[in-house]
Amino acid sequence: MNKLLVCSILLLAGFGSPQLLHAQTLATPDDKQATQPRKRGGIFTLYAVDPLARTLCFNDGKEGMAFVSNKWENRCSDLSFTLAGGGSFVSGIELNRIAAIVDLGTANDLRGRYGYEDAENGGVGFASIRLEGDKVTILQDDNGKFKASWQTLQEGSRLSEVKSSATAPIQLGHIYLVRTFDSNSKTVQHTVKLIVIAYRPEEAVTLRWELL
């Protein structure tokens, strides 16, 4: 387990500026662990005041923080819930990690912009978002027994606008893209899609997430 020192509890809980949410590492992240995650997605709830589950690790889909030998340490925090700014996602909080977060809007917003067929608040758009090389695509037309066609997700280009402590306001029903990687190792990176399925401001946010 890589042991990381963290900033103050108040900052990670969201009672300070999100730009200051930067952890410090004692060791280089394990490339094999980061590039071969044990879990590719699921449902997870981030709790603003829980010392462990205020962050999520994309490697295994578990809490990013840990109690180790009666110490509070950062195990693997790829995404955090902060109360700053009225409630936001934060990524890129570990030393040498940089990230980007893109808000795609709701399922209906995506359907309206890209023109594929889907039910009201349906899951077609979210399900169809995928990586083709370095390009993010979304469904264009599902031809049934024929091969479906895909189109470029224009907002995907904003994933290249990485920085430390990338943030985005949390909004119920919105779909997000998150990219995080180690600035010292291009092999340590994740690109994730997620949708907010429940949100209690100042308390908790539940999301469905999936690695691309």
Side-chain angles (χ1 to χ4, degrees), residues 118-134:
D118 194 9
E120 188 76 5
N121 297 312
V124 170
F126 180 81
S128 69
I129 295 173
R130 63 179 188 174
L131 273 180
E132 294 186 18
D134 292 330

Side-chain angles (χ1 to χ4, degrees), residues 1 6 9 12 29 31-33 36 42 50 58 90 109 116 138 143 152 165 169 182 190 192 200 206:
M1 176 186 299
V6 294
I9 294 176
L12 272 176
D31 286 8
K32 183 177 180 181
Q33 180 189 32
Q36 298 181 7
D50 185 274
F58 291 149
V90 185
D109 293 335
Y116 51 81
I138 193 169
N143 296 310
T152 299
S165 298
D182 193 303
H190 301 296
V192 174
R200 298 188 299 277
T206 301

